[in-house]
Amino acid sequence: MNKSLTAIILAAGQGTRMKSQLPKVMHKIAQKSLIDFVINQANKVHAREIITLIAPDADILSDHLTQYNNINTIIQNERLGTAHAVQTAMKASDLSTDISLILYGDTPFIGVGTLNNVIARLKNSDAATCFVGFNAADPTGYGRMIVKGDILNKIVEHKEANELELQQKLCNSGIVAIKNQYIKQLLDKVSNNNQKGEFYLTDIVEIAQNQGLSSSYIIADEQETLGINSREQLAVAEKIWQQNKRRELMNNGVTLIDPESVYLSFDTNIAQDVIIYPNVFFKGNVNIESGTEIKSFSYIEDAIIGKNCDIGPFARIRPNSKIGDKVKIGNFVEIKNTIMHEDSKASHLAYLGDAEIGIGSNIGAGTITCNFDGKKKGKTIIGNGAFIGSNSALVAPLNIGDNATIGAGSVITQDVEEKALAIARPVQKNIPGKSKV
Ligand code: UD1
Ligand code: MG
């Protein structure tokens, strides 16, 4: 815990350009909300307190934030500007820490290294504030940073900037660390006498100067400062995130045959020597152990997959599935809330839901666990070494013992004891000479 740090996350913006019912910071990259990225960073720099400013109508966001026990969620009733947002936070906290770190809820990629740098730079200097700047490829819309050597003299918002200032490529990311001993005297002086009629946090740079104080800055990579304002920017951010994650996996020894076509979640864990074929999608909470191959067009969600498995093509693995070592799940097999123990196989066209499949058991093509009777779900438990013939309907709740065999095309409604052969289908009758052809 960093006793000296308060993180203030500004997330009260309307996000109009997202054209969404959802508060902007609840939109996701790699299946994780933008706000969660930022909270994660605040926790990583060990903020003692985290204050999040949200809009009055953002119930989904405030509900979401209740999962964290170290967040003080404050409603900013009127959004009068970035300085006003910080002032609203100050009403909710006495800021007894040394430094306030202002973060934006819609800037998810800011690096922990950068945040540690800005905090360290501020701590080790006489400056009252330290801003994070970046060299913008296209500075349009950003506040320009006017610097001299290590000193930040002024930040001028795009709308207020003159010709010369507009040529400046060093822009304000919005992220700033402020010494709390000065924060009140600086913010008290901010006015809204500007083009947008807003209270600009960036005005504290000149205010500090007028009070005989100074400001400093650090420069971060532009990618870290990427802000999300539209669906298009969300897609750009998703792409960047995916590229980074794919690179990280490959560097850790995972083969992605066509990296661009594999989509990962923020919490996807894939071990060394796993091979992922083109066009595979991972939803949340998937762990894959070494030596497994995931073939094309598989969609995998909330599952643990063991070592040396052979999954897909066209496998669908749904939540709460646990796949043991050396399991085979072939094309058009859907698995849900099911344990498949090692060496078991479902090679083609099957639905296994709310089931447990024993070691080395073989599930024939077209096998369906009938797990839902219209009202409630039932379990199907299959022992070790069992053989389920093709096109069997296993009506749950059902127990099939070790080494049992189910004849193809059976509808099984009663438990089958170990080593038994169960056949439940009309007996075939051959009538000589009665063929129509
Ligand atoms: C701000 C900076 C600008 C910087 C840019 C980087 C100011 C005055 N300008 O401009 O120098 O280059 O960010 O993207 O600070 N917010 C609130 N409450 C408010 C106002 C804003 O929570 O009352 C939040 C917004 O949701 C957003 C962030 O603060 O996440 C920034 O506000 P925004 O209005 O987007 O500021 P910019 O004009 O982009
Ligand atoms: Mg903005």
Side-chain angles (χ1 to χ4, degrees):
M1 196 66 73
N2 191 336
K3 287 205 170 58
S4 60
L5 190 71
T6 297
I8 300 175
I9 303 175
L10 311 193
Q14 274 154 323
T16 334
R17 279 179 282 164
M18 292 301 281
K19 303 229 165 62
S20 177
Q21 304 283 8
L22 205 60
K24 177 164 77 173
V25 299
M26 288 300 291
H27 284 267
K28 291 176 179 174
I29 295 171
Q31 295 154 55
K32 177 169 162 172
S33 311
L34 302 181
I35 192 73
D36 289 344
F37 278 87
V38 182
I39 290 168
N40 206 10
Q41 312 298 41
N43 280 325
K44 280 197 178 146
V45 296
H46 309 293
R48 189 181 80 185
E49 90 183 307
I50 301 177
I51 302 171
T52 304
L53 289 134
I54 68 164
D57 52 357
D59 292 350
I60 296 173
L61 175 56
S62 62
D63 289 351
H64 177 80
L65 292 173
T66 57
Q67 71 180 287
Y68 296 99
N69 53 24
N70 60 343
I71 292 189
N72 191 354
T73 302
I74 305 297
I75 293 174
Q76 189 189 2
N77 281 311
E78 286 182 293
R79 278 150 287 182
L80 304 178
T82 45
H84 178 259
V86 176
Q87 283 166 329
T88 308
M90 286 163 69
K91 283 187 197 138
S93 164
D94 57 3
L95 296 184
S96 58
T97 50
D98 295 337
I99 289 176
S100 288
L101 176 67
I102 316 302
L103 301 168
Y104 286 0
D106 62 359
T107 305
F109 291 159
I110 191 72
V112 175
T114 299
L115 296 181
N116 280 326
N117 283 346
V118 71
I119 295 161
R121 175 69 65 91
L122 182 65
K123 262 189 188 161
N124 301 326
S125 74
D126 296 332
T129 79
C130 185
F131 279 77
V132 178
F134 65 103
N135 285 302
D138 174 10
T140 312
Y142 292 114
R144 309 300 206 280
M145 291 170 69
I146 313 299
V147 301
K148 193 163 185 214
D150 285 344
I151 305 289
L152 172 61
N153 281 326
K154 184 181 177 185
I155 298 178
V156 52
E157 290 306 301
H158 184 104
K159 283 201 167 155
E160 331 280 329
N162 62 34
E163 280 302 314
L164 199 67
E165 290 165 336
L166 283 176
Q167 281 163 29
Q168 178 61 255
K169 294 234 184 252
L170 184 60
C171 290
N172 172 29
S173 70
I175 289 157
V176 49
I178 308 170
K179 284 184 182 154
N180 284 337
Q181 66 187 107
Y182 304 121
I183 195 165
K184 187 167 181 315
Q185 71 190 61
L186 296 175
L187 278 145
D188 278 353
K189 289 275 185 258
V190 177
S191 80
N192 62 353
N193 185 14
N194 53 47
Q195 294 287 331
K196 282 166 99 179
E198 281 186 7
F199 294 87
Y200 290 164
L201 183 59
T202 44
D203 283 358
I204 63 173
V205 177
E206 279 187 290
I207 293 169
Q209 266 187 354
N210 294 338
Q211 296 181 357
L213 298 165
S214 66
S215 293
S216 59
Y217 66 98
I218 62 164
I219 299 179
D221 197 61
E222 183 168 12
Q223 229 177 51
E224 287 189 33
T225 69
L226 185 77
I228 313 294
N229 299 299
S230 63
R231 307 270 182 167
E232 214 173 323
Q233 285 170 333
L234 188 68
V236 168
E238 178 80 40
K239 204 170 191 117
I240 292 170
W241 189 95
Q242 292 291 342
Q243 266 161 0
N244 290 337
K245 178 80 175 182
R246 291 169 191 141
R247 197 173 303 131
E248 179 192 311
L249 287 177
M250 290 188 281
N251 287 338
N252 290 341
V254 177
T255 295
L256 304 179
I257 295 176
D258 178 20
E260 297 280 300
S261 71
V262 174
Y263 285 84
L264 304 147
S265 168
F266 74 97
D267 54 0
T268 309
N269 273 314
I270 304 183
Q272 210 177 325
D273 289 322
V274 168
I275 301 179
I276 314 281
Y277 286 54
N279 295 303
V280 173
F281 190 93
F282 292 97
K283 238 184 160 257
N285 198 25
V286 172
N287 270 282
I288 301 181
E289 292 172 27
S290 61
T292 285
E293 296 198 4
I294 311 282
K295 293 176 177 159
S296 298
F297 306 106
S298 294
Y299 186 104
I300 302 178
E301 178 175 11
D302 185 17
I304 298 172
I305 300 179
K307 296 190 181 75
N308 302 314
C309 293
D310 182 1
I311 311 292
F314 297 99
R316 173 152 190 226
I317 303 187
R318 292 175 51 204
N320 204 22
S321 294
K322 195 165 180 303
I323 314 299
D325 297 346
K326 293 182 279 172
V327 165
K328 178 167 173 28
I329 298 174
N331 38 231
F332 309 109
V333 173
E334 177 180 344
I335 309 274
K336 186 217 75 173
N337 187 32
T338 284
I339 301 172
M340 287 191 71
H341 289 286
E342 65 182 87
D343 272 323
S344 58
K345 291 184 176 58
S347 300
H348 354 248
L349 303 159
Y351 171 58
L352 301 173
D354 305 308
E356 183 168 350
I357 316 296
I359 301 168
S361 290
N362 187 75
I363 308 294
T367 298
I368 304 290
T369 53
C370 308
N371 60 329
F372 187 49
D373 65 7
K375 287 204 175 103
K376 56 183 188 319
K377 298 273 169 68
K379 281 202 80 102
T380 302
I381 300 183
I382 299 175
N384 301 330
F387 182 93
I388 312 297
S390 294
N391 225 23
S392 296
L394 309 176
V395 182
L398 189 66
N399 276 288
I400 295 175
D402 293 348
N403 303 310
T405 296
I406 306 296
S410 293
V411 176
I412 301 293
T413 55
Q414 292 163 33
D415 289 356
V416 179
E417 67 270 29
E418 58 176 57
K419 293 190 177 155
L421 165 66
I423 305 176
R425 61 174 189 237
V427 177
Q428 181 173 332
K429 201 162 135 192
N430 289 2
I431 307 168
K434 284 285 183 190
S435 168
K436 285 213 170 99
V437 291

